[in-house]
Structures are given as C-alpha cells and as structure tokens.
Amino acid sequence: MNHSRSNAGAHREPDLPPYQVVLSETDWGSLETPFGNGESLPEVLTRLLTRDAGVQVNALSELGEMVGHQNTIYEATAPAAMYVAGILTHPAATTPRPYRNVPIRAALLNWLGSTAYDASDEIVGRTEQYFPGFLTPGTIVASFRDLRPMLYRAVSPFLRDSHEDVREAAVIAALILAEHPALAEHRDHLAVYARAILDTSGDKPNRRVARKALEAWGHEVPAPELFMEEPWDWGPHSDGRGDLEPPF
C-alpha cells in the first residue's frame, strides 16, 4: 500500500483508509526508519489500542523515536501518521491519563501536530535553502506533505471537543496541516480557533503556532510576545516527546 503518494493538487479531501488496512497492507519491512526498517512498527502501533494508558503513552513515545527521530520525516512516518489519525475515533483513544484525567486522544493529536510541524512550510523552507530539491515531488517529505488534507479530515472533528486539552491539540494540528493549498478554504474558520488559543492558552509553542498561522493568512494579531525562540526547534511539543514521558 502506498497512500503516501496522494495527489497534492487534488481539490477534495481524500478519505483516510481504515487503520486496520493501513496496518495490514503496509509493507513495513520495506520502509526506512532511523534504525533500519519498520518491521517492528505494527507491534508498537497495536499497543496504542490497549486500554492501559501507561502502555499507550510508552508506545506513542516509542513511535516518535522510530518514525520521527531528530524531527525527521522517514518513509515509515506517513503510514504511521495515517494509523494514528485513523484511531482518533477508536474507543481506546478515550482512555484517561492516570492522575491527569486527560483522554489519550490529546496525546495522539499532539503527536500528529508535532509530526506535521516537522514537515511544515517553516521547517522545510529552511531546509530547502541548504538542500535544493528537498521538496521535489515524490521525495519522502513531499509525499508526506501530500497527506495533509487526509490528516486534516481526521483531526477536524475534534476542533470543538468537550475536553480542553483535546480541543487545543486538534486546533494546533489543524493549523499546521491547513498550510496545504487544498485546505485554504478552511483557514478563515480556523482563524477563530487560532484566536481562541491566543486568548486562553498558556502553552507558548502552541501560541506561536496560532500567531504564525494568523500572520500567514493575513489576519491582524496582537503585538508579539517577548520570549526566546529556537527557530529550528520551536513547534508543538518540539522535543518529539512533550508530555508523553512517564510519570503519567
């Protein structure tokens, strides 16, 4: 299965394949990861569907290392992201985090947002300055970026989730994914949610994502906040692990 090469110029949001199909029809052993191939990924992905939040969180942290080591997009990143997006509606995504009463769905959305940020316009634009051709159609990063409309469709139902953490994670992921030209029609709608992040969120990386999106889309924003930025590594949960580490 090679859904990672969807048509970037399509004028519709493609359907996300069922997570079971992604798991069973992807040739994981043929896909590059930072540690070889992805033959062990199905076991890690399957652990995300347990109803033990500790197991789920550890699996998500492990997944981040296996397909996003050092904030890099690998061949295995695309199907892994489709799988994570596909289980957002699974009952296991409602498992509460111990001691925090936050559904694991928030962590899944944070992971998707962080992974999307690693292929965002900001990051790949800088990279291409040093590696011309980085975004040539068919390359690993270009193919992953082609998935953004599909991933957005999976994320967007949670923009108005009843849980604050889930809602904020969904908004941040959606703002990053909406850089794709095919999603331009959603930007005015998303701007409302971006302003809500600026009004209510205490998470500085998330506030930066919201501000950057509004600026890029031509909306007025308040004066910039005064805090230091690390331009190569300042995105949502930019360490690739964020709140995924135990203790939970």
Side-chain angles (χ1 to χ4, degrees), residues 41-58:
L41 280 168
E43 187 274 332
V44 176
L45 293 168
T46 300
R47 277 192 272 129
L48 292 174
L49 298 183
T50 68
R51 296 305 294 262
D52 183 323
V55 173
Q56 290 174 299
V57 167
N58 284 329

Side-chain angles (χ1 to χ4, degrees), residues 7-151:
N7 184 359
H11 295 290
R12 60 181 295 274
E13 298 167 13
D15 294 327
L16 186 74
Y19 70 91
Q20 302 96 324
V21 172
V22 176
L23 190 69
S24 63
E25 295 190 7
T26 298
D27 184 4
W28 298 99
S30 71
L31 300 179
E32 173 202 21
T33 76
F35 309 108
N37 64 44
E39 62 183 359
S40 62
L41 280 168
E43 187 274 332
V44 176
L45 293 168
T46 300
R47 277 192 272 129
L48 292 174
L49 298 183
T50 68
R51 296 305 294 262
D52 183 323
V55 173
Q56 290 174 299
V57 167
N58 284 329
L60 197 53
S61 292
E62 189 175 342
L63 179 65
E65 279 297 299
M66 295 177 72
V67 303
H69 183 65
Q70 295 184 340
N71 306 101
T72 301
I73 303 296
Y74 296 89
E75 287 180 336
T77 308
M82 288 193 293
Y83 181 93
V84 171
I87 66 172
L88 289 173
T89 57
H90 192 281
T94 64
T95 306
R97 297 280 296 277
Y99 313 113
R100 300 184 61 184
N101 196 31
V102 177
I104 200 72
R105 180 178 287 133
L108 297 173
L109 286 162
N110 281 332
W111 186 90
L112 284 169
S114 179
T115 303
Y117 179 76
D118 293 337
S120 66
D121 291 352
E122 178 181 10
I123 297 301
V124 301
R126 291 177 179 141
T127 304
E128 191 155 49
Q129 294 177 18
Y130 301 95
F131 301 99
F134 184 67
L135 285 180
T136 301
T139 59
I140 293 172
V141 173
S143 295
F144 179 84
R145 283 162 59 85
D146 288 350
L147 291 178
R148 288 176 292 177
M150 182 187 294
L151 297 177

Side-chain angles (χ1 to χ4, degrees), residues 84-241:
V84 171
I87 66 172
L88 289 173
T89 57
H90 192 281
T94 64
T95 306
R97 297 280 296 277
Y99 313 113
R100 300 184 61 184
N101 196 31
V102 177
I104 200 72
R105 180 178 287 133
L108 297 173
L109 286 162
N110 281 332
W111 186 90
L112 284 169
S114 179
T115 303
Y117 179 76
D118 293 337
S120 66
D121 291 352
E122 178 181 10
I123 297 301
V124 301
R126 291 177 179 141
T127 304
E128 191 155 49
Q129 294 177 18
Y130 301 95
F131 301 99
F134 184 67
L135 285 180
T136 301
T139 59
I140 293 172
V141 173
S143 295
F144 179 84
R145 283 162 59 85
D146 288 350
L147 291 178
R148 288 176 292 177
M150 182 187 294
L151 297 177
Y152 178 87
R153 189 168 185 174
V155 166
S156 60
F158 301 100
L159 293 172
R160 301 182 65 181
D161 193 86
S162 60
H163 197 286
E164 180 182 359
D165 293 72
V166 173
R167 188 167 62 248
E168 181 164 337
V171 170
I172 296 304
L175 292 175
I176 297 168
L177 294 167
E179 293 177 341
H180 192 287
L183 297 173
E185 63 184 294
H186 299 282
R187 293 173 186 169
D188 285 344
H189 173 67
L190 289 172
V192 176
Y193 295 102
R195 291 193 180 280
I197 295 292
L198 292 179
D199 289 341
T200 64
S201 177
D203 186 296
K204 287 185 177 180
N206 286 355
R207 293 172 62 83
R208 180 181 183 275
V209 170
R211 177 182 298 279
K212 289 287 186 180
L214 289 170
E215 290 174 346
W217 301 341
H219 293 264
E220 292 186 5
V221 293
E225 299 171 66
L226 298 177
F227 59 89
M228 295 299 294
E229 294 184 4
E230 294 292 337
W232 279 95
D233 200 31
W234 194 255
H237 301 276
S238 56
D239 59 3
R241 300 176 78 88

